[in-house]
Coordinates of all heavy atoms in Angstrom, one line a residue:
Chain B
A43 N 74.6 81.3 104.4 CA 75.7 82.0 105.0 C 76.5 82.6 103.9 O 76.6 82.1 102.8 CB 76.5 81.1 105.9
R44 N 77.1 83.8 104.2 CA 78.1 84.4 103.2 C 79.5 83.8 103.3 O 80.0 83.6 104.5 CB 78.2 85.9 103.4 CG 77.0 86.6 102.8 CD 77.4 88.1 102.8 NE 76.2 88.9 102.4 CZ 76.3 90.2 102.2 NH1 77.4 90.9 102.3 NH2 75.2 90.8 101.8
L45 N 80.1 83.4 102.2 CA 81.4 82.9 102.3 C 82.4 84.0 102.7 O 83.4 83.7 103.4 CB 81.8 82.3 100.9 CG 81.0 81.0 100.5 CD1 81.1 80.8 99.0 CD2 81.5 79.8 101.3
N46 N 82.2 85.2 102.1 CA 83.1 86.3 102.5 C 82.4 87.1 103.6 O 81.5 87.9 103.3 CB 83.3 87.2 101.2 CG 84.2 88.4 101.5 OD1 84.7 88.6 102.6 ND2 84.4 89.2 100.5
F47 N 82.7 86.8 104.8 CA 82.1 87.5 105.9 C 83.2 87.9 106.9 O 83.6 87.2 107.8 CB 81.0 86.7 106.6 CG 80.2 87.4 107.5 CD1 79.2 88.3 107.1 CD2 80.3 87.3 108.9 CE1 78.4 89.0 107.9 CE2 79.5 88.0 109.8 CZ 78.5 88.9 109.3
A48 N 83.7 89.1 106.7 CA 85.0 89.6 107.4 C 84.9 89.5 109.0 O 85.9 89.2 109.6 CB 85.3 91.0 107.0
P49 N 83.7 89.7 109.6 CA 83.7 89.6 111.1 C 84.1 88.2 111.6 O 84.6 88.1 112.7 CB 82.2 90.0 111.4 CG 81.7 90.8 110.3 CD 82.4 90.3 109.1
Y50 N 83.9 87.2 110.7 CA 84.5 85.9 111.0 C 85.9 85.9 110.4 O 86.0 85.7 109.2 CB 83.6 84.8 110.4 CG 84.1 83.4 110.6 CD1 84.8 83.0 111.7 CD2 83.8 82.5 109.6 CE1 85.2 81.7 111.8 CE2 84.2 81.2 109.6 CZ 84.9 80.8 110.8 OH 85.4 79.5 110.9
R51 N 86.9 86.1 111.2 CA 88.2 86.4 110.7 C 88.8 85.2 109.9 O 89.6 85.5 109.0 CB 89.1 86.8 111.9 CG 88.9 88.2 112.4 CD 89.2 89.2 111.3 NE 89.1 90.6 111.8 CZ 88.1 91.4 111.5 NH1 87.0 91.0 110.9 NH2 88.2 92.7 112.0
S52 N 88.5 84.0 110.3 CA 89.1 82.9 109.6 C 88.6 82.8 108.1 O 89.2 82.1 107.3 CB 88.7 81.6 110.3 OG 89.0 81.5 111.6
S53 N 87.5 83.6 107.8 CA 87.1 83.5 106.4 C 87.9 84.4 105.5 O 87.8 84.2 104.3 CB 85.6 83.9 106.4 OG 85.4 85.3 106.4
L54 N 88.7 85.3 106.0 CA 89.3 86.3 105.2 C 90.2 85.7 104.1 O 90.1 86.2 103.0 CB 90.2 87.3 106.1 CG 89.4 88.3 106.9 CD1 90.3 89.0 107.9 CD2 88.6 89.3 106.1
L55 N 90.9 84.7 104.4 CA 91.9 84.2 103.4 C 91.3 82.9 102.8 O 92.0 82.2 102.1 CB 93.2 83.9 104.0 CG 94.0 85.2 104.5 CD1 95.3 84.8 105.2 CD2 94.4 86.0 103.2
R56 N 90.1 82.5 103.2 CA 89.6 81.2 102.8 C 88.2 81.3 102.1 O 87.5 80.3 102.0 CB 89.4 80.3 104.1 CG 90.8 80.1 104.7 CD 90.7 79.2 105.9 NE 92.0 78.8 106.4 CZ 92.2 77.9 107.3 NH1 91.2 77.2 107.8 NH2 93.4 77.7 107.8
H57 N 87.9 82.4 101.6 CA 86.6 82.5 100.8 C 87.0 82.8 99.3 O 88.1 83.4 99.1 CB 85.7 83.7 101.3 CG 86.3 85.0 101.0 ND1 86.2 85.7 99.8 CD2 87.1 85.9 101.8 CE1 86.8 86.9 99.9 NE2 87.3 87.0 101.1
P58 N 86.3 82.2 98.4 CA 86.6 82.5 97.0 C 86.5 84.0 96.7 O 85.5 84.6 97.2 CB 85.6 81.7 96.2 CG 84.9 80.8 97.2 CD 85.1 81.4 98.5
T59 N 87.4 84.6 95.9 CA 87.3 86.0 95.6 C 86.6 86.2 94.3 O 86.3 87.3 93.9 CB 88.6 86.6 95.5 OG1 89.4 86.1 94.4 CG2 89.4 86.4 96.8
K60 N 86.3 85.1 93.6 CA 85.6 85.2 92.3 C 84.2 84.5 92.4 O 84.0 83.7 93.3 CB 86.4 84.5 91.2 CG 87.8 85.1 91.0 CD 88.6 84.4 89.9 CE 89.7 85.2 89.4 NZ 90.6 85.8 90.5
S61 N 83.3 84.9 91.5 CA 82.0 84.3 91.6 C 82.1 82.8 91.4 O 83.0 82.3 90.7 CB 81.1 84.9 90.5 OG 80.9 86.2 90.6
L62 N 81.2 82.0 92.0 CA 81.1 80.6 91.7 C 80.7 80.4 90.3 O 79.9 81.1 89.7 CB 80.1 79.9 92.7 CG 80.4 80.2 94.2 CD1 79.4 79.5 95.0 CD2 81.8 79.7 94.6
H63 N 81.2 79.3 89.7 CA 81.0 79.1 88.3 C 79.8 78.2 88.1 O 79.7 77.1 88.7 CB 82.2 78.5 87.6 CG 82.1 78.4 86.1 ND1 82.5 79.4 85.3 CD2 81.7 77.4 85.3 CE1 82.3 79.0 84.0 NE2 81.7 77.8 84.0
H64 N 78.8 78.6 87.3 CA 77.6 77.7 87.1 C 77.9 76.4 86.4 O 78.6 76.4 85.4 CB 76.6 78.5 86.3 CG 75.4 77.6 85.9 ND1 74.3 77.5 86.7 CD2 75.2 76.8 84.8 CE1 73.5 76.6 86.1 NE2 74.0 76.2 85.0
A65 N 77.4 75.3 87.0 CA 77.6 74.0 86.4 C 76.2 73.3 86.3 O 75.4 73.4 87.3 CB 78.5 73.2 87.2
D66 N 76.0 72.7 85.2 CA 74.8 71.9 85.1 C 75.2 70.5 85.6 O 76.1 69.9 85.1 CB 74.3 71.8 83.6 CG 73.7 73.1 83.2 OD1 72.9 73.7 83.9 OD2 74.0 73.5 82.0
P67 N 74.4 70.0 86.6 CA 74.8 68.7 87.2 C 74.8 67.6 86.2 O 73.9 67.4 85.4 CB 73.9 68.5 88.4 CG 72.7 69.5 88.1 CD 73.2 70.6 87.2
E68 N 75.8 66.8 86.2 CA 75.9 65.6 85.4 C 75.9 64.3 86.3 O 76.2 64.4 87.5 CB 77.3 65.6 84.6 CG 77.4 66.7 83.6 CD 78.8 66.8 83.0 OE1 79.6 65.9 83.3 OE2 79.1 67.8 82.4
D69 N 75.7 63.2 85.6 CA 75.7 61.9 86.3 C 76.0 61.8 87.7 O 75.1 61.8 88.6 CB 76.7 61.0 85.5 CG 76.5 61.2 84.0 OD1 75.4 60.9 83.5 OD2 77.4 61.6 83.3
I70 N 77.3 61.9 88.1 CA 77.7 61.6 89.4 C 77.1 62.6 90.4 O 76.8 62.3 91.6 CB 79.3 61.5 89.6 CG1 79.7 60.9 90.9 CG2 79.9 62.9 89.3 CD1 79.6 59.4 90.9
E71 N 76.9 63.8 89.9 CA 76.4 64.9 90.8 C 74.9 64.7 91.1 O 74.4 65.4 92.0 CB 76.7 66.3 90.1 CG 78.2 66.6 90.1 CD 78.6 67.5 88.9 OE1 77.9 67.6 87.9 OE2 79.6 68.2 89.1
L72 N 74.3 63.9 90.3 CA 72.8 63.6 90.6 C 72.6 62.4 91.5 O 71.5 62.0 91.7 CB 72.1 63.4 89.2 CG 72.2 64.6 88.3 CD1 71.7 64.2 86.9 CD2 71.4 65.8 88.8
Y73 N 73.7 61.9 92.0 CA 73.6 60.7 92.9 C 74.4 61.0 94.2 O 75.2 61.9 94.2 CB 74.2 59.4 92.3 CG 73.3 58.9 91.2 CD1 73.4 59.4 89.9 CD2 72.4 57.9 91.4 CE1 72.6 58.9 88.9 CE2 71.6 57.4 90.4 CZ 71.7 57.9 89.1 OH 70.9 57.4 88.1
S74 N 74.1 60.3 95.2 CA 74.8 60.3 96.5 C 75.3 58.9 96.8 O 74.7 57.9 96.4 CB 74.0 60.8 97.6 OG 74.0 62.2 97.6
P75 N 76.4 58.8 97.6 CA 76.8 57.5 98.0 C 75.7 56.9 98.9 O 74.9 57.6 99.5 CB 78.1 57.8 98.9 CG 78.1 59.2 99.1 CD 77.3 59.9 98.1

Side-chain angles (χ1 to χ4, degrees):
Chain B
R44 281 193 185 187
L45 293 163
N46 179 4
F47 193 73
Y50 175 35
R51 285 299 188 257
S52 305
S53 79
L54 288 172
L55 294 172
R56 297 182 175 193
H57 69 83
T59 67
K60 297 178 166 52
S61 299
L62 304 178
H63 188 87
H64 171 87
D66 289 317
E68 294 172 11
D69 312 301
I70 194 79
E71 291 155 336
L72 298 171
Y73 288 84
S74 273

